[in-house]
Amino acid sequence: MTFRSGFALTAAAPLLLAACTSAPQATKSSTAPSPSTAVQAKAVPWPAGGCDPRVRKVLPTWARAGFSDKGAARMPHVMSSRGDIVAALFAYPTRAWPSDRPDDGSKILWISRVPQQPMSPLKIDAYLDGSQRPVHREVDGGPGPSLMKLPQPGCWRLRLSWSGHSDTIDLEVAPPAAGRA
């Protein structure tokens, strides 16, 4: 075999291989979702009953940096699913805030374990357990102090994004405090 014929055979091999293999044909018993199921799966990010908030009492060591009081390590908080961010709850339980008053809300300190870009906001899409429509919130400047207002009680799944990172937190929200509804 000469160099030229060997080169031609090497160059033609991928074409011959592609021509000899065929893609599998779809059958009616395929496990692919129907169009209506695919749309529904896209619309509902989490199924009803999937929300599972786990409130912890002692902050992880990396989340205590800004606290001067040793007792502050004992604070109710919720850890994100990846462990990249903590929601430190200054009032527990977190309450629903249906009003539009700017000074209302549950104080939450968002503490990021991963590096942040200066002034990059923390964006929050919150879904009430089983709901299809998110409530959008944003914390200017990224993780830090915030007044979180979620309009009704229940278990909420928060999809968080900040500085190129993303994570989720489940948060139980109690009914509004007396006189706040």
Side-chain angles (χ1 to χ4, degrees), residues 17-88:
L17 183 60
C20 293
T21 43
S22 62
Q25 299 296 318
T27 64
K28 288 186 179 185
S29 63
S30 172
T31 58
S34 69
S36 63
T37 307
V39 169
Q40 185 180 14
K42 213 176 214 184
V44 181
W46 296 277
C51 193
D52 184 23
R54 296 179 186 217
V55 176
R56 300 174 183 175
K57 295 183 179 172
V58 179
L59 286 168
T61 306
W62 59 264
R64 300 179 199 167
F67 294 97
S68 58
D69 182 13
K70 290 181 182 179
R74 297 193 57 76
M75 173 177 272
H77 67 280
V78 183
M79 177 80 72
S80 68
S81 60
R82 290 188 182 144
D84 287 342
I85 194 165
V86 165

Side-chain angles (χ1 to χ4, degrees), residues 100-175:
D100 289 334
R101 295 189 311 215
D103 59 340
D104 279 347
S106 293
K107 187 174 181 185
I108 295 178
L109 177 61
W110 301 97
I111 308 167
S112 176
R113 182 181 60 81
V114 293
Q116 300 177 59
Q117 297 169 358
M119 303 312 293
S120 176
L122 169 62
K123 295 181 181 180
I124 303 168
D125 289 332
Y127 295 84
L128 183 60
D129 190 24
S131 73
Q132 297 179 15
R133 296 177 37 187
V135 172
H136 302 286
R137 300 290 183 256
E138 190 168 300
V139 179
D140 292 334
S146 71
L147 287 177
M148 188 68 168
K149 291 183 187 184
L150 294 172
Q152 67 188 77
C155 193
W156 289 80
R157 179 154 289 171
L158 283 55
R159 183 183 302 164
L160 311 169
S161 61
W162 73 104
S163 299
H165 308 289
S166 63
D167 212 336
T168 60
I169 282 184
D170 290 348
L171 185 63
E172 186 67 37
V173 176

